Amino acid sequence: MATVRSHAVVNRDAESVWRIVSDAPAISAWFPAITQSDGNGSYRTVTLQDGARLQEEVVTCDPALRRFQYRVVGGDLPIEAHLGTVDVLELGPRKCAVVYSTDIEPPDLADAFGPAIEEAVSNLARVASGS
């Protein structure tokens, strides 16, 4: 299994960023590789830029830890195992860190997921800070 991880410091309070991250169906608003998303607090379906669809199950949505975890449970890609984790860590009154990691099998999928996650984290920082 391969692991990819990306992080960014966001000039916004952790609770505001957490509200964005924890809104599972709205991931397409800040994750550029996802063109469409829908669902609820337990499941979501995402459509990627190439048209591939993935079904995802929310594993953890913990507001106290500000941790969101999900796993791919079906879809168009040959994913054998997957766990995505987004942590929002308070650094100060108007500053937080977002750490997004993904464990994925088969490992060669990390080559595609890694850059997409890096772009998403960078974009999340822009969306959350309003720039």
Side-chain angles (χ1 to χ4, degrees):
M1 186 169 292
T3 300
V4 295
R5 183 172 55 199
S6 185
H7 70 280
V9 173
V10 181
N11 292 317
R12 187 83 189 261
D13 63 285
E15 191 57 35
S16 295
V17 176
W18 169 248
R19 281 194 297 273
I20 295 168
V21 167
S22 64
D23 186 356
I27 190 172
S28 61
W30 58 272
F31 201 121
I34 297 173
T35 60
Q36 184 177 354
S37 57
D38 59 20
N40 57 42
S42 300
Y43 291 92
R44 70 178 169 206
T45 301
V46 300
T47 303
L48 306 179
Q49 287 176 336
D50 66 1
R53 291 175 52 102
L54 298 174
Q55 288 84 43
E56 300 174 339
E57 174 187 36
V58 175
V59 176
T60 304
C61 187
D62 185 330
L65 288 176
R66 293 190 193 98
R67 170 171 275 193
F68 184 87
Q69 292 182 301
Y70 66 98
R71 75 173 125 231
V72 174
V73 294
D76 298 327
L77 299 180
I79 297 172
E80 297 169 15
H82 172 275
L83 180 65
T85 302
V86 185
D87 289 306
V88 180
L89 309 170
E90 186 172 2
L91 299 177
R94 295 208 27 90
K95 187 177 274 191
C96 66
V98 175
V99 180
Y100 193 140
S101 62
T102 294
D103 298 317
I104 192 160
E105 183 72 39
D108 62 318
L109 289 176
D111 293 339
F113 275 62
I117 289 168
E118 188 172 319
E119 181 182 30
V121 170
S122 178
N123 194 56
L124 176 60
R126 283 191 297 277
V127 168
S129 63
S131 51

